[in-house]
Amino acid sequence: MLFVNTLSSKALIQKGSAVKENDEEFILFIVDFSNSMTEKLHGTKKINMVLDTMQELLPQVPQDKRVGLRVYGHKGGYFMPGMACKASSLIVPMIKGSAPQIQSALFSLRPTGWTPITYSLKQAVNSDFAGVSGKKRIILLTDGGENCDESPCDYVMELTKTRQDISIDVIAFNIYDQEANNQLKCTALVTSGKFYSANTAAELMQSLQNSLNVQKEVQGVIISH
């Protein structure tokens, strides 16, 4: 299921030229490497399903898209909350033709820690997007809700009071906790992003393809509550 919102074009400052309006945008994957990603789904570890899906997806990303990768939960250990709640790193900056680098980076990491979603969003907004003008989009792929005593919903509600240039697509992977889903739906909708729920490898691929708009035809159902 999904929520669909259309993003407008963005303005980019090009070297030696004035600000120009075009359809280019900066896209940042934020991928969950928390300990729960080692759990099995349909007989396969969830992280392996994500890696296999990304390996198939990334070659479909147009070379002219500026795409980067941030991950969380990849260090710190589940029993080290102080470190684990800040375990979020920009692995690949948002550049054109980054698919091979993103793929290589994903396969070099191992799930181990917690789920600092809000901290990761703050890092993306304040650091990764620093100096970037125009539209910016986050694609958050997570198998759980925040567990570092913060609220991504509360954060984006405050953020959108002063910033309307960032949207967040959320892919909730095998999440059945209602509170977690509510928080993640809020995170997407408040920022005019899309919310997807995926429980199989096929649904995960469809969600990612729809978010990246790498298919010729994209169909979806708009869910209202």
Side-chain angles (χ1 to χ4, degrees):
M1 63 181 177
L2 55 87
F3 289 88
V4 179
N5 287 277
T6 303
L7 300 180
S8 59
S9 61
K10 70 183 294 299
L12 287 177
I13 299 178
Q14 300 181 351
K15 185 177 181 180
S17 65
V19 176
K20 295 182 178 180
E21 291 286 341
N22 56 42
D23 293 328
E24 189 174 30
E25 65 178 347
F26 289 78
I27 300 173
L28 180 67
F29 281 108
I30 299 183
V31 179
D32 186 348
F33 270 81
S34 64
N35 185 64
S36 59
M37 290 292 280
T38 62
E39 297 171 357
K40 288 187 176 182
L41 177 64
H42 308 304
T44 302
K45 286 185 178 181
K46 287 188 280 188
I47 190 59
N48 291 340
M49 294 175 71
V50 169
L51 294 177
D52 290 346
T53 301
M54 292 293 286
Q55 185 174 31
E56 182 179 348
L57 173 83
L58 287 168
Q60 302 175 30
V61 178
Q63 291 290 307
D64 62 350
K65 278 188 177 288
R66 297 181 182 272
V67 184
L69 172 69
R70 171 175 284 276
V71 301
Y72 62 77
H74 58 305
K75 58 184 179 180
Y78 195 78
F79 298 103
M80 302 172 66
M83 182 183 296
C85 284
K86 292 187 177 180
S88 178
S89 304
L90 179 67
I91 306 297
V92 179
M94 290 169 286
I95 57 175
K96 295 180 179 180
S98 60
Q101 292 172 257
I102 293 175
Q103 181 173 315
S104 177
L106 286 171
F107 277 89
S108 71
L109 301 169
R110 296 291 180 269
T112 183
W114 286 34
T115 312
I117 293 174
T118 309
Y119 179 79
S120 297
L121 294 177
K122 290 178 179 178
Q123 291 297 105
V125 171
N126 298 325
S127 297
D128 306 344
F129 289 139
V132 176
S133 66
K135 285 292 182 181
K136 295 159 280 286
R137 184 152 58 96
I138 292 170
I139 300 176
L140 170 64
L141 195 169
T142 182
D143 81 327
E146 175 75 51
N147 64 1
C148 284
D149 198 29
E150 291 190 276
S151 165
C153 178
D154 290 347
Y155 170 64
V156 297
M157 284 195 291
E158 286 299 312
L159 177 68
T160 53
K161 291 179 180 179
T162 56
R163 299 282 297 269
Q164 288 80 43
D165 60 331
I166 299 173
S167 66
I168 303 172
D169 288 358
V170 177
I171 301 173
F173 185 41
N174 190 230
I175 301 178
Y176 291 97
D177 180 85
Q178 190 61 51
E179 177 58 28
N181 271 306
N182 288 342
Q183 284 280 319
L184 294 170
K185 285 180 183 178
C186 166
T187 302
L189 296 178
V190 167
T191 61
S192 297
K194 310 167 191 173
F195 177 83
Y196 303 89
S197 180
N199 295 301
T200 66
E203 291 174 353
L204 181 61
M205 173 62 81
Q206 187 70 52
S207 299
L208 285 164
Q209 287 178 324
N210 287 355
S211 183
L212 283 168
N213 194 27
V214 294
Q215 292 176 301
K216 292 182 179 179
E217 296 182 7
V218 178
Q219 295 181 341
V221 178
I222 300 177
I223 307 297
S224 60
H225 293 278

